[in-house]
Amino acid sequence: MSDAPTRTQLSEDQLPTHWVNLIPHLPEPPPPVLHPATQEPITPDDLAPLFPPALVAQEASDEPRIPIPEPVRDVYRLWRPTPLHRAHRLEQALGTPARIYYKYEGGSPAGSHKPNTAVAQAHANAEAGVQRLTTETGAGQWGSALAFACAQFGLTCEVWQVRASFEQKPYRGSMMRVFGGTVHPSPSDRTEAGRAVLAKEPDHPGSLGIAISEAVEAAAADDVTRYALGSVLNHVLLHQTVIGQEAQAQLAAIGEEPDVLIGCTGGGSNFAGLAFPFLADRLDRGGQGPRILAVEPAACPTLTRGRYAYDYGDTAGLTPLMKMHTLGHDFVPDAIHAGGLRYHGMSPLLSHVVELGLIEPRAYQQSDSFAAGLAFARTEGIVPAPEPTHALASAIEEATRCAETGEERVILTALCGHGHFDMAAYDAYLAGHLEDRGHDQTALEAALSALPAVDR
Amino acid sequence: MSDAPTRTQLSEDQLPTHWVNLIPHLPEPPPPVLHPATQEPITPDDLAPLFPPALVAQEASDEPRIPIPEPVRDVYRLWRPTPLHRAHRLEQALGTPARIYYKYEGGSPAGSHKPNTAVAQAHANAEAGVQRLTTETGAGQWGSALAFACAQFGLTCEVWQVRASFEQKPYRGSMMRVFGGTVHPSPSDRTEAGRAVLAKEPDHPGSLGIAISEAVEAAAADDVTRYALGSVLNHVLLHQTVIGQEAQAQLAAIGEEPDVLIGCTGGGSNFAGLAFPFLADRLDRGGQGPRILAVEPAACPTLTRGRYAYDYGDTAGLTPLMKMHTLGHDFVPDAIHAGGLRYHGMSPLLSHVVELGLIEPRAYQQSDSFAAGLAFARTEGIVPAPEPTHALASAIEEATRCAETGEERVILTALCGHGHFDMAAYDAYLAGHLEDRGHDQTALEAALSALPAVDR
């Protein structure tokens, strides 16, 4: 074991005071979001029925730093600042000279990074007199985060959960109820959008796109209800930048600078949360800073195989048109894919950054990802959610290369949540039921399965 | 919100270097443990077939401080020191002038305090050349902790889990497998003890006593296998004292002294982990220190309604005879009890301390406990395991009394684990299926269900 600390912590008074807005740092702004009817750029007025004024302002802001309201920081203090871990025991098992750091967000109320924005959104809505929030959720990380956040500000929370997940992961719904929320399987018979899908296919397993349609429709029903989105939009990515800012302070405290930064991407918010503060600094310093990798599942390869085009955020076409990497707004990943990150599109801002060549997308098979998750759990003692195992697979591959070349690279990754509600996926992997289509065991998976015990 | 920190953290170099042994601080030593055949006090040689030399020595030690081996501290660093939380938001919801602190152990690899001793036991066994550990587990906290610990030192881990829990909480078993362990439902057909129970009652739901019999029998099978117990014994309670020592340092850092300390008790190890360092100091200071309450479920009221007598630790009578508070070694709690802490006996050392009048036992109904758990989750953002909700019910009752009297008491409690694998119990509570037999809604439960949202 090296002398470097296993966990670098920050004190409560080092909690960030601002969110970091990447947009003013970019060489060119992202393409406008278009109104679905007129195909003209949307205005703040267009967003007002869905979102409260503070969030609409953040969505279009070009201020480089946006203050975090004190009531939001008060709630953040329940679990923030989060620790930065040095993966000593994983490094030892890999025999690598690389130094691997991970920022761990699993200690939050919902067990992931999602409450960082849920709390900010619930607060902004409560300030605006909103009484009820609706949203969609897939595996349930976001729904449970929003249910918790609503409880902090006296809001009612109503969640549409993708039916397949609602049935396969019932305990995420339990968590929403424990926090005081209500959850419906989607497609449901409570909305026109849901009823239309059920009419064609009564057993439809659901998708994030459909659940978004239902939640958006329900939010439009009255004046005291608004909609909350857990990823994709600029203001959501903005709220997550507390992660990267803390990581910068923590690395500075131990005298480290990352050579490569690796995050997983579904809608993009966890990735942006860690990466954007580093990218903003890199752009300001003429390019000096880490290489940045955005890792996605091969079963939902939005950045690596999607088209960069205007598309809807939801299946029914109720949202504005966003220019993004998309697999088509009616895309549903194979049922065999258990690794999360199933959204058909990608954050327009993150898509734009990829188009500018500022970050590199990568796709990983889920068998490699779960193998990485197991190796991580057995060495570091945290069972990761399936989503960040994609980033871990990439980080382990990078560290393994360092073991061959002898390079002492500093690798930084985001462990965005624990896998306590995803154990069935690990069971399926351990039972050999998660073979990727047309994919044999890779060299990476074989190497990981042969890892020795950590030490004696 | 007050200016006091929400979480008081310690740095890695403040990790305790020793475990605290209560025994030399007591006015009289606990009664001896007796050999089941001879009824004479057992010797270290009697324990050698079950436990490695280091643990046998700790079991009988009268040294006040026992050094923690460095490889054990290295593993502890993955999650220790753990934070001490000030329950600002719960206090605000209760309208109490009391200050409530909780030491949170849920950030550990298994999500509870159990790895504190699992790691120490796995290390001591590995040092002695042991290759395999067997154990029992109820809900699965202990089994998953030992599976993780065995992975750190290259040991094989085999777990017998009470069948009712094995079936109702399958994901704890998944976690054991993720960490590399093997888990069998108990009673099983792999041991004589298991087969004897199954012959009489093929559908027996199992009990901790039966699972202990199976694990002890399996450990006796060869020279490279030993048995590990997750609570009850002196060395297990000893290993948990890192909790209380850290809490002492954390309270000192913010200038607080507890007026009352409240922990939940099943076998006694979580309770002792927090309480014994404070009790040792109180005894050394002529009684100056906190009142200490040991809280147990009314459905398994070992301390409050059991006999203080010699009894076996297991159902088959394979263990030594221990003088303890017991409900009888074939006691099985009502199936309706979902709150954990189901062991028929109690740590002999903790029983002795109760007999000396040094701590006060209390029993709480599970409906009060789950109501406390809900109130806690919605304010503090952590879904507690059912076990510590018993202590939370008592802490909330104490704080509510302070709201009436205006007393500014300092309450310290142990939040020994999260409830991520216990959501079915919360679902049952929310659906009204956990009524206690002959128990109507109490004033406490009614008050908690009427709590307002935290703030606006």
Side-chain angles (χ1 to χ4, degrees):
Chain A
M1 292 284 146
S2 119
D3 283 346
T6 303
R7 293 178 302 157
T8 299
Q9 302 179 106
L10 297 175
S11 69
E12 203 164 295
D13 54 20
Q14 293 170 290
L15 187 66
T17 56
H18 291 71
W19 292 303
V20 169
N21 185 7
L22 179 67
I23 294 172
H25 300 268
L26 292 174
E28 54 185 280
V33 173
L34 304 182
H35 194 286
T38 64
Q39 312 249 336
E40 291 294 315
I42 56 164
T43 65
D45 283 353
D46 293 327
L47 292 176
L50 281 180
F51 303 115
L55 300 183
V56 171
Q58 289 168 15
E59 188 64 22
S61 173
D62 49 21
E63 289 297 315
R65 284 159 59 83
I66 295 175
I68 307 175
E70 278 308 312
V72 173
R73 296 181 78 232
D74 258 353
V75 183
Y76 279 173
R77 284 189 183 92
L78 289 175
W79 74 96
R80 301 209 74 86
T82 62
L84 179 76
H85 291 243
R86 167 84 183 272
H88 284 302
R89 301 178 83 81
L90 176 63
E91 292 167 19
Q92 193 181 340
L94 296 172
T96 181
R99 300 194 291 282
I100 304 173
Y101 292 90
Y102 56 96
K103 182 74 171 160
Y104 184 46
E105 294 290 306
S108 84
S112 76
H113 63 294
K114 295 285 188 185
N116 296 329
T117 184
V119 171
Q121 292 189 46
H123 173 259
N125 277 283
E127 285 287 293
V130 172
Q131 292 170 21
R132 184 175 75 131
L133 286 180
T134 66
T135 196
E136 79 294 332
T137 198
Q141 291 275 16
W142 168 242
S144 48
L146 193 67
F148 162 75
C150 285
Q152 304 318 301
F153 299 104
L155 300 176
T156 302
C157 179
E158 200 162 352
V159 181
W160 274 260
Q161 183 172 23
V162 174
R163 182 182 298 274
S165 296
F166 181 89
E167 288 168 0
Q168 285 161 19
K169 303 184 180 185
Y171 298 140
R172 272 283 169 197
S174 315
M175 193 181 223
M176 295 175 217
R177 287 187 288 274
V178 163
F179 286 141
T182 306
V183 54
H184 315 292
S186 166
S188 78
D189 60 6
R190 293 172 173 265
T191 66
E192 302 236 353
R195 287 189 292 270
V197 174
L198 290 174
K200 281 192 222 160
E201 193 179 337
D203 295 328
H204 196 292
S207 71
L208 276 174
I210 296 167
I212 294 173
S213 295
E214 294 205 86
V216 166
E217 184 185 325
D222 61 54
D223 273 355
V224 293
T225 304
R226 291 290 181 278
Y227 168 69
L229 189 65
S231 191
V232 177
L233 298 179
N234 295 349
H235 69 271
V236 183
L237 275 54
L238 179 78
H239 299 153
Q240 295 294 354
T241 58
V242 288
I243 303 172
Q245 291 181 73
E246 288 177 8
Q248 288 178 315
Q250 286 160 319
L251 288 171
I254 54 174
E256 288 278 35
E257 292 206 8
D259 297 304
V260 56
L261 185 159
I262 304 173
C264 66
T265 48
S269 77
N270 156 66
F271 176 85
L274 182 67
F276 280 9
F278 286 90
L279 180 56
D281 281 3
R282 197 181 84 183
L283 289 162
D284 291 352
R285 293 194 292 179
Q288 195 200 332
R291 272 176 70 213
I292 302 181
L293 307 182
V295 179
E296 63 186 10
C300 192
T302 323
L303 284 174
T304 50
R305 299 181 59 192
R307 280 184 61 204
Y308 185 54
Y310 274 100
D311 195 4
Y312 296 106
D314 72 322
T315 302
L318 300 180
T319 70
L321 285 160
M322 298 177 286
K323 192 162 187 187
M324 59 182 177
H325 291 87
T326 176
L327 299 163
H329 60 272
D330 51 4
F331 176 82
V332 179
D334 269 348
I336 199 172
H337 174 62
L341 308 170
R342 301 169 66 93
Y343 186 55
H344 72 268
M346 181 54 66
S347 153
L349 181 52
L350 181 50
S351 293
H352 175 61
V353 168
V354 168
E355 286 299 307
L356 291 174
L358 299 174
I359 63 176
E360 304 162 42
R362 294 273 188 281
Y364 280 77
Q365 299 288 351
Q366 69 176 343
S367 45
D368 288 343
S369 303
F370 277 101
L374 270 197
F376 186 85
R378 291 178 183 177
T379 51
E380 294 294 310
I382 298 170
V383 182
E387 291 84 351
T389 64
H390 294 83
L392 289 174
S394 179
I396 286 173
E397 198 171 65
E398 190 88 18
T400 307
R401 243 191 319 265
C402 292
E404 288 157 13
T405 63
E407 279 179 288
E408 288 191 19
R409 287 221 175 137
V410 176
I411 301 169
L412 172 64
T413 188
L415 193 68
C416 58
H418 62 64
H420 300 165
F421 294 86
D422 305 284
M423 300 309 295
Y426 279 96
D427 276 343
Y429 172 72
L430 287 168
H433 297 156
L434 285 190
E435 296 308 308
D436 297 298
R437 300 212 167 164
H439 167 69
D440 292 326
Q441 190 184 50
T442 61
L444 178 63
E445 192 182 11
L448 287 172
S449 65
L451 278 186
V454 175
D455 66 17
R456 268 302 288 278
Chain B
M1 292 286 145
S2 119
D3 284 343
T6 303
R7 293 179 302 157
T8 299
Q9 303 180 106
L10 298 175
S11 67
E12 203 164 295
D13 53 21
Q14 293 171 290
L15 185 68
T17 54
H18 291 71
W19 291 304
V20 170
N21 185 9
L22 179 67
I23 294 172
H25 300 268
L26 292 174
E28 53 185 280
V33 173
L34 304 182
H35 194 285
T38 64
Q39 311 248 334
E40 291 295 315
I42 55 163
T43 64
D45 283 354
D46 293 327
L47 292 175
L50 281 180
F51 302 117
L55 301 183
V56 171
Q58 289 168 15
E59 188 63 24
S61 173
D62 49 19
E63 289 297 316
R65 286 160 57 84
I66 295 175
I68 306 176
E70 278 309 312
V72 173
R73 296 179 79 233
D74 259 351
V75 182
Y76 280 174
R77 284 189 184 94
L78 289 174
W79 74 96
R80 303 208 75 86
T82 63
L84 179 77
H85 291 243
R86 167 85 182 273
H88 284 302
R89 301 178 83 82
L90 176 62
E91 292 168 17
Q92 193 181 341
L94 297 171
T96 181
R99 300 194 290 283
I100 304 173
Y101 292 91
Y102 56 96
K103 181 74 172 160
Y104 183 45
E105 294 290 307
S108 83
S112 77
H113 63 294
K114 295 284 188 185
N116 296 329
T117 183
V119 172
Q121 292 189 46
H123 172 259
N125 277 284
E127 285 287 293
V130 171
Q131 294 172 18
R132 186 176 75 132
L133 285 179
T134 67
T135 197
E136 77 295 332
T137 198
Q141 292 274 17
W142 168 242
S144 47
L146 193 66
F148 161 75
C150 284
Q152 304 318 301
F153 298 103
L155 300 176
T156 302
C157 180
E158 200 163 353
V159 181
W160 274 261
Q161 183 172 23
V162 174
R163 181 182 298 274
S165 296
F166 181 89
E167 286 167 0
Q168 286 162 19
K169 303 183 180 185
Y171 297 140
R172 274 283 170 196
S174 315
M175 193 182 223
M176 296 175 218
R177 287 187 288 273
V178 164
F179 286 141
T182 305
V183 54
H184 315 292
S186 166
S188 77
D189 60 6
R190 295 174 171 262
T191 66
E192 302 236 351
R195 286 189 293 269
V197 174
L198 290 174
K200 283 193 221 161
E201 193 179 336
D203 295 328
H204 197 293
S207 72
L208 277 175
I210 295 168
I212 294 174
S213 295
E214 294 205 86
V216 167
E217 184 186 325
D222 60 56
D223 272 355
V224 292
T225 303
R226 290 290 180 278
Y227 168 69
L229 188 66
S231 190
V232 177
L233 299 180
N234 295 348
H235 68 271
V236 182
L237 275 55
L238 178 79
H239 299 154
Q240 295 294 352
T241 58
V242 288
I243 302 172
Q245 290 182 73
E246 288 177 8
Q248 288 178 316
Q250 286 160 321
L251 288 170
I254 54 174
E256 287 278 34
E257 292 206 8
D259 297 305
V260 56
L261 184 159
I262 304 173
C264 66
T265 47
S269 77
N270 155 68
F271 175 85
L274 182 67
F276 280 8
F278 287 90
L279 180 56
D281 281 3
R282 195 180 86 183
L283 290 162
D284 291 351
R285 294 193 293 179
Q288 196 201 328
R291 271 177 71 215
I292 302 180
L293 307 183
V295 179
E296 63 187 10
C300 191
T302 324
L303 283 174
T304 51
R305 298 181 62 191
R307 281 183 62 207
Y308 184 54
Y310 274 100
D311 195 4
Y312 295 106
D314 72 321
T315 302
L318 301 180
T319 70
L321 285 160
M322 297 177 287
K323 193 162 187 186
M324 60 181 175
H325 291 88
T326 176
L327 299 163
H329 60 272
D330 51 3
F331 176 82
V332 179
D334 269 348
I336 199 172
H337 174 62
L341 310 170
R342 302 169 64 94
Y343 187 55
H344 71 269
M346 181 55 65
S347 153
L349 180 54
L350 180 51
S351 294
H352 176 61
V353 168
V354 169
E355 286 299 307
L356 291 174
L358 300 175
I359 63 177
E360 304 163 43
R362 295 273 189 281
Y364 279 78
Q365 298 288 351
Q366 71 176 339
S367 44
D368 289 344
S369 303
F370 277 102
L374 270 196
F376 186 85
R378 290 177 185 178
T379 51
E380 293 294 311
I382 298 171
V383 181
E387 291 84 351
T389 65
H390 294 83
L392 289 174
S394 179
I396 286 173
E397 197 171 64
E398 190 87 18
T400 307
R401 244 193 318 266
C402 292
E404 288 157 13
T405 63
E407 279 179 288
E408 289 189 19
R409 287 221 176 136
V410 177
I411 300 169
L412 171 64
T413 188
L415 192 69
C416 59
H418 62 65
H420 300 166
F421 293 87
D422 305 283
M423 300 309 296
Y426 279 96
D427 275 342
Y429 173 73
L430 287 168
H433 297 156
L434 285 190
E435 296 309 307
D436 298 298
R437 302 217 166 159
H439 167 70
D440 292 327
Q441 192 184 50
T442 62
L444 177 64
E445 192 182 14
L448 287 173
S449 65
L451 279 187
V454 175
D455 67 19
R456 268 299 290 276

